[in-house]
Amino acid sequence: MKPVKLGLLGLGTVGSGTANVLKRNSDEITRRAGRGIEIVAAAGKNLESHNCRDVTGMRLTEDAFSVVNDPEVEVVVELIGGTTLARELVLCAVDQGKHVVTANKALIALHGNEIFARAQEKGVIVAFEAAVAGGIPIIKAIREGLAGNRINWVAGIINGTGNFILTEMRDKGRDFQDVLAEAQRLGYAEADPTFDVEGIDAAHKLTILASIAFGIPLQFDRVYTEGITGITREDVAYANELGYRIKHLGIARRTEQGIELRVHPTLIPERRLIANVDGVMNAVLVSADAVGPTLYYGAGAGSEPTGSAVVADIVDVVRAMTTDPENRVPHLAFQADTLSDTTILPMEDVKTSFYLRLRVLDRPGVMADITRILASLDISIEAILQKEQDDDTTEADVILLTHEVREGNMIQAIREIEALETVKTPVIRIRLENLK
């Protein structure tokens, strides 16, 4: 059979990695796909600065639309990022009946419903394994490997920058801003790190995971998102003393009341495997009714790790090109006409346990006032830790671990506690998950 001709959009980190993996492993890839795969055209902003080791046979251009419109190109590989131009290019390819492979999590999270509907009309595939957790094949694992299961919940460390920062804070007792500056020097964090440290990047990925896990439309706007900028080295140390580690988790959980979609810092018992995923690595823990918990670990970013996932999608597309569209694996795991309109729970109705830290005057009656407020809102305490400050101060840090409580009740409790004259600083609140 004739080789399949690819058009590559983007010659940056992931684009170059994809091209290099395709070239280096071409023999293995051909044996797996059943036919050769060749990049015949590639578009990039700066054609002199790419890291592709071999561009033989590629038509290089700065005009991405010329690649999409090239009649020789059968599959378009979108690796430019962003959501405006990328959306136009992907829809242009789909409208021409061309299959698409993308690593663009923001594009899928924000415009995936539109793109997949158009792809179904045209009978083409839009593959997106590399959009979540880099080189970890988590999309295929949930969509195909766990197809016989009812997924209970998914919890993931799905942003390497945030995980690197929290790991350094724990291991070396460093402040957030200090570690963030190092992450930027090392290239782990962008000059504007907002998407990483505020949880937006993780929310894009969680949107996709929740959709394929529960058979719901992509709903990025319903994800509760909270960053790690407020985490201090004191909280990291106290959590460690209590037997927990702080991780920036994306959590999607099915409950009787609806589906929880949330990204936030989370205390996890240190004995859990996912609590020991450090540095820039990613991991996704999936709980399903038949198989139980399964953990997927690996590089969540990088040139060739992400390129590996892109190439795997390309191989899948090539294998499926001659099959009836009705017999292909659905984009979002469930048949398009069976996606559910299950309620997404408002954050105030979500139930979790909490870690609370507050600085109080060290005198009789203070704890009685705090516990009275908590009890009035049906919040029970699991553990209390009091840390005296320097000898010349009359204040103490109090750390509380609570049992599971409705978020709205905790917000009200914190409001009342902060109004006490004996409480000297705002209450630090971090959610706690056992992930059993």
Side-chain angles (χ1 to χ4, degrees):
M1 299 180 71
K2 292 182 179 179
V4 173
K5 307 297 179 66
L6 307 183
L8 179 62
L9 308 180
L11 288 169
T13 300
V14 178
S16 295
T18 298
N20 291 336
V21 170
L22 275 170
K23 286 279 188 180
R24 187 178 68 241
N25 298 335
S26 60
D27 290 345
E28 292 285 305
I29 291 167
T30 298
R31 291 168 61 201
R32 289 188 168 110
R35 57 198 295 192
I37 299 171
E38 300 174 355
I39 300 174
V40 296
K45 285 184 178 178
N46 188 340
L47 300 180
E48 303 301 320
S49 65
H50 64 77
N51 291 313
C52 298
R53 298 189 185 97
D54 183 358
V55 295
T56 304
M58 293 186 205
R59 176 175 66 84
L60 300 182
T61 176
E62 294 183 355
D63 182 359
F65 280 98
S66 76
V67 174
V68 174
N69 294 325
D70 187 333
E72 190 179 16
V73 170
E74 301 166 84
V75 180
V76 173
V77 183
E78 184 279 305
L79 302 174
I80 63 173
T83 57
T84 304
L85 177 60
R87 172 180 169 274
E88 293 175 10
L89 290 164
V90 166
L91 289 175
C92 180
V94 168
D95 286 342
Q96 295 182 51
K98 298 183 180 186
H99 303 287
V100 174
V101 173
T102 180
N104 194 331
K105 64 264 185 180
L107 177 69
I108 298 300
L110 295 174
H111 301 294
N113 295 324
E114 174 193 17
I115 290 169
F116 295 144
R118 189 85 63 87
Q120 186 175 18
E121 289 176 11
K122 297 294 183 178
V124 299
I125 300 167
V126 176
F128 53 95
E129 179 66 68
V132 180
I136 304 173
I138 187 62
I139 301 298
K140 183 178 285 288
I142 296 176
R143 189 169 57 189
E144 299 173 45
L146 299 179
N149 288 255
R150 177 181 172 84
I151 306 296
N152 301 316
W153 52 262
V154 177
I157 297 169
I158 44 182
N159 181 273
T161 302
N163 201 43
F164 171 80
I165 292 171
L166 291 173
T167 299
E168 288 290 301
M169 290 177 70
R170 185 195 73 230
D171 289 350
K172 300 177 183 177
R174 299 168 65 186
D175 289 322
F176 172 85
Q177 289 296 339
D178 177 40
V179 183
L180 173 59
E182 181 182 358
Q184 290 171 319
R185 287 195 301 272
L186 293 171
Y188 297 152
E190 301 289 341
D192 179 358
T194 303
F195 266 51
D196 292 325
V197 300
E198 294 296 350
I200 300 168
D201 175 78
H204 287 144
K205 298 167 184 175
L206 185 71
T207 299
I208 299 169
L209 290 175
S211 185
I212 64 171
F214 305 131
I216 59 175
L218 296 151
Q219 298 173 73
F220 171 74
D221 60 333
R222 304 300 302 277
V223 181
Y224 172 83
T225 306
E226 182 180 316
I228 58 171
T229 55
I231 300 297
T232 68
R233 60 181 177 179
E234 289 81 11
D235 292 313
V236 172
Y238 288 148
N240 191 59
E241 186 173 341
L242 290 163
Y244 295 88
R245 292 186 176 177
I246 299 177
K247 295 293 183 182
H248 201 192
L249 286 189
I251 299 172
R253 176 178 278 117
R254 189 200 308 260
T255 73
E256 291 182 0
Q257 292 74 37
I259 292 172
E260 302 172 5
L261 297 177
R262 46 195 172 98
V263 174
H264 51 69
T266 310
L267 268 73
I268 311 171
E270 62 185 1
R271 63 185 178 276
R272 300 278 183 265
L273 286 175
I274 197 170
N276 295 282
V277 173
D278 291 333
V280 295
M281 302 305 282
N282 280 200
V284 180
L285 181 59
V286 182
S287 172
D289 68 337
V291 73
T294 53
L295 180 68
Y296 307 85
Y297 167 89
S303 177
E304 293 204 356
T306 308
S308 165
V310 173
V311 172
D313 268 348
I314 293 170
V315 171
D316 275 352
V317 168
V318 170
R319 287 169 173 165
M321 285 175 72
T322 57
T323 63
D324 184 338
E326 298 301 319
N327 294 325
R328 294 172 184 160
V329 177
H331 290 107
L332 295 176
F334 295 74
Q335 297 298 329
D337 58 356
T338 70
L339 293 181
S340 167
D341 60 354
T342 305
T343 299
I344 305 301
L345 276 185
M347 194 60 195
E348 58 265 25
D349 291 332
V350 170
K351 292 183 178 180
T352 62
S353 301
F354 282 89
Y355 159 103
L356 304 177
R357 177 171 65 86
L358 53 156
R359 181 160 295 179
V360 300
L361 291 177
D362 191 6
R363 68 188 192 196
V366 173
M367 286 307 303
D369 290 338
I370 293 170
T371 55
R372 174 183 52 77
I373 291 171
L374 294 175
S376 71
L377 290 161
D378 297 321
I379 301 171
S380 61
I381 298 171
E382 180 181 343
I384 299 178
L385 177 67
Q386 181 167 327
K387 289 289 187 179
E388 304 294 338
Q389 300 301 303
D390 297 333
D391 293 339
D392 59 350
T393 183
T394 59
E395 298 177 357
D397 274 350
V398 174
I399 296 91
L400 305 173
L401 299 184
T402 76
H403 290 288
E404 194 174 81
V405 57
R406 179 179 170 273
E407 176 97 7
N409 288 29
M410 179 56 75
I411 292 172
Q412 179 60 32
I414 290 173
R415 195 175 294 126
E416 294 183 23
I417 289 170
E418 289 179 339
L420 295 172
E421 291 184 358
T422 51
V423 175
K424 309 310 292 182
T425 60
V427 176
I428 302 298
R429 173 197 66 180
I430 306 174
R431 296 166 192 86
L432 187 156
E433 293 283 345
N434 278 310
L435 299 181
K436 290 183 177 178

